[in-house]
Amino acid sequence: MDQQAPKPELKPAPLRTGVAVDMVGVHKWFGEFHVLRDINLRVTRGERIVICGPSGSGKSTMIRCINRLEEHQQGKIVVDGVELTNDLKRIDEVRREVGMVFQHFNLFPHLTVLENLTLAPIWVRKMSKRQAEEVALHYLKRVKIPEQAGKYPGQLSGGQQQRVAIARALCMSPKIMLFDEPTSALDPEMVKEVLDTMVHLADDGMTMLCVTHEMGFARQVANRIVFMDAGQIVEVNAPEPFFANPQHERTKLFLSQILH
Amino acid sequence: MSDMATTTDTRLMAGPPSFVQTRPLDPLPPPMKDSGAIGWVRQNLFSSPLNIALTLVCALLIAWVVPPIIKFMLIDAVWDGASRADCVVQPDRPQVGACWAFVIDRIGFFTYGFYPIDQRWRVDVFFALLAFGVGWMAWLDAPRRDLGVIYFFIVMPVLSVILLLGLPAIRLPSVSTEQWGGVLVTIVVATVGIVASLPLGILLALGRRSEMPAVRMFSIIFIEFVRGVPLITVLFMASVMLPLFVPDAWSPDKLLRALIGVALFSAAYMAEVVRAGLQAIPKGQYEAAMALGLGYWRMMILIVLPQALKITIPNIVNNTIGLFKDTTLVFIVGIFDFLKSIEVGRIDPNWATPVTSTTGYAFAAVFYFIFCYSMSRYARYVEFRVAAGDRR
Ligand SMILES: Nc1ncnc2c1ncn2[C@@H]1O[C@H](COP(=O)(O)OP(=O)(O)OP(=O)(O)O)[C@@H](O)[C@H]1O
Ligand SMILES: [Mg+2]
């Protein structure tokens, strides 16, 4: 509407390297349990990856390793040229550039929607409050709920909460976005509004890794689909061949179950 | 088919078998509640045989205990007088209740202890500063509570220390803590204990959940050790053992030593209360904060602690009430608190009557009750507010 007003920098910041995420020979154990087994995955700039697989196959664990919510024990993970080690500085550096959206939204219930969105830009990006609010309102418009800025998360529907969560991540202008089953805690009629938001984001060229069972979304948006089973990547393929002609037995079984 | 004919609702019969709502129903007022005084009494006091029995027992207890108390405290009480003669049994006054004249006569002593009489205004100003600060913090909708925090934790303590101890440079003569006493000391010990124990307790609680083994070990040992010994022991250690470790010249004064003891003691309890609150915060809150790149301290200060403290306020107040009453123990290490001033006052020969001690203790009970009950009411109010906040 007001095109003349000076806009803050809102495009996703360009990645430093052509490779957004590089996982090489990654292993992880929970105690004795070998949850990730020799994961090799290279995600290039602007690529949209959808990860699917049966429950307990390690999908969440894998994407949570990318922003170090889980620590891997063997192998190498490099995020936009920064290797994840025990160095806290680097971990924070990676987390600043990688946005994450959770299944259960995880909004901060004691803060308003606007405060949820401006918190990290103010404290981590050191933006002024005014500037952070401007950015926040921009993204609230993008996810189509600018009128909810003053409410508390508990006053919103699930779909609205998840869109706020997406906007919250976007306010940090991340280079990479991680989604962990963003629609599976939602009522069916709210799934679409969240998926639409994600499609928009994909259209803008955001690098995305998305754990989801929404196969329609995968078909429409993904460059590649990663199928995981029992801690391993079993099959990686573009959507067309992945659905039309799955190679591995496990993939065939999974697809037959999920696509009735 | 034939039973259908008996149905009186013609709308259902006329239409097809499936039902479609054709007009919106107007809202109706809710059904009447069994309200009013009689309804309340019947519902709450006489709803079942057991309830009736309990009601009768309680009524008897009240009838047995309350009238004598009222008679002693109010009806037979002596309100004016200058010496013991006014509070002893005389032919024209066969019954003597509480000797409030004694309390009124010695109220300055009970309030200020041996604080020089011409300097007592300083204590009054301190009370006013404190009341203002407590009011600002306790009133949840107060304006500028952020400034209130600064006032309460920085401005007020500095002003109070200058005011109470004195600063000859600005013509406030020094008053040694040896001369402090009565309510002043009780309030100082309780306030310092409460105010210092909260931040210390938070640090200990965070330490106990820390991933750094050294920090965690220290916190656990400290908390468990302090919780494992009585406050009296901590006070003795603070007042007797501390001087063994530090040179005489550095040895802090007696009151300060007791203050440190009380603060450390209540910090250990506060730590456990805060830890329970921390445990109630879902893992997702931590993860969301970490994923945004907030470091550990920002995550704790901005996200976790505000939520954790909010749900622990009732328990914090509960601890505070306990601490307020426990401050009476400082008299054991020779500090002249309110209860001690009553102890000294009641054996004053000028007021030696059979009712002096009872009156003194009754006064102390009323004093402690007013403070503790207000704190308890306040906790209820906050609990109610938090519950209301969660519903929104
Ligand atoms: N913190 C943990 N400690 C121990 N085991 C865990 C932990 N988190 C996950 N696991 C186990 O690791 C395995 C993989 O978990 P993960 O959450 O990555 O699965 P997923 O593929 O995301 O499954 P879902 O589709 O149900 O979300 C599961 O068997 C789970 O029980
Ligand atoms: Mg999962």
Side-chain angles (χ1 to χ4, degrees), chain A residues 64 67 69 95 98 100 102 106-110 119-120 123-124 126 152 154-155 168 172, chain B residues 283-296 298 302-304 306-307 310 392:
Chain A
R64 287 156 60 86
N67 65 352
L69 290 184
R95 284 176 178 166
V98 178
M100 184 156 199
F102 301 86
N106 298 353
L107 294 175
F108 306 129
H110 62 302
L119 184 92
W123 290 94
V124 180
K126 311 286 178 207
Y152 284 88
Q155 296 168 301
R168 176 176 71 180
M172 286 291 285
Chain B
K283 223 171 103 225
Q285 293 289 307
Y286 292 86
E287 291 178 348
M290 283 193 279
L292 285 170
L294 299 172
Y296 176 83
R298 285 191 196 128
L302 298 170
I303 306 299
V304 178
Q307 297 183 60
K310 202 164 100 178
R392 83 184 157 210

Side-chain angles (χ1 to χ4, degrees), chain A residues 30-31 33 35-36 53-62 64 70 103 180-181 211 213 228, chain B residues 283:
Chain A
F30 281 125
F33 178 58
V35 57
L36 293 182
S55 182
S57 54
K59 309 177 296 288
S60 299
T61 310
M62 184 178 91
R64 287 156 60 86
E70 302 288 355
Q103 181 175 1
D180 190 358
E181 304 204 31
V211 177
H213 292 145
M228 287 185 71
Chain B
K283 223 171 103 225

Side-chain angles (χ1 to χ4, degrees), chain A residues 169-258:
Chain A
L170 292 178
C171 281
M172 286 291 285
S173 16
K175 297 170 179 171
I176 300 164
M177 284 285 286
L178 309 176
F179 294 84
D180 190 358
E181 304 204 31
T183 56
S184 47
L186 296 178
D187 291 337
E189 68 263 38
M190 295 170 190
V191 169
K192 185 170 178 299
E193 64 189 48
V194 171
L195 289 181
D196 284 349
T197 310
M198 291 166 64
V199 171
H200 276 144
L201 201 56
D203 291 343
D204 283 359
M206 176 66 78
T207 308
M208 293 165 62
L209 282 91
C210 184
V211 177
T212 183
H213 292 145
E214 294 293 335
M215 289 304 148
F217 172 80
R219 236 185 260 267
Q220 185 185 353
V221 166
N223 300 107
R224 283 189 292 161
I225 298 183
V226 173
F227 178 71
M228 287 185 71
D229 186 35
Q232 304 169 52
I233 294 182
V234 172
E235 190 165 341
V236 181
N237 217 333
E240 280 303 309
F242 180 83
F243 289 112
N245 190 13
Q247 300 297 307
H248 198 280
E249 281 310 311
R250 280 297 292 138
T251 321
K252 286 179 193 164
L253 182 64
F254 179 75
L255 284 178
S256 71
Q257 279 164 352
I258 206 164

Side-chain angles (χ1 to χ4, degrees), chain B residues 23-61:
Chain B
R23 67 186 174 92
L25 299 176
D26 292 327
L28 297 174
M32 287 287 279
K33 271 214 230 119
D34 191 4
S35 56
I38 294 175
W40 186 91
V41 166
R42 197 180 299 137
Q43 234 176 29
N44 289 285
L45 300 180
F46 299 105
S47 60
S48 68
L50 176 65
N51 202 345
I52 292 172
L54 288 175
T55 303
L56 290 179
V57 169
C58 291
L60 283 177
L61 264 177

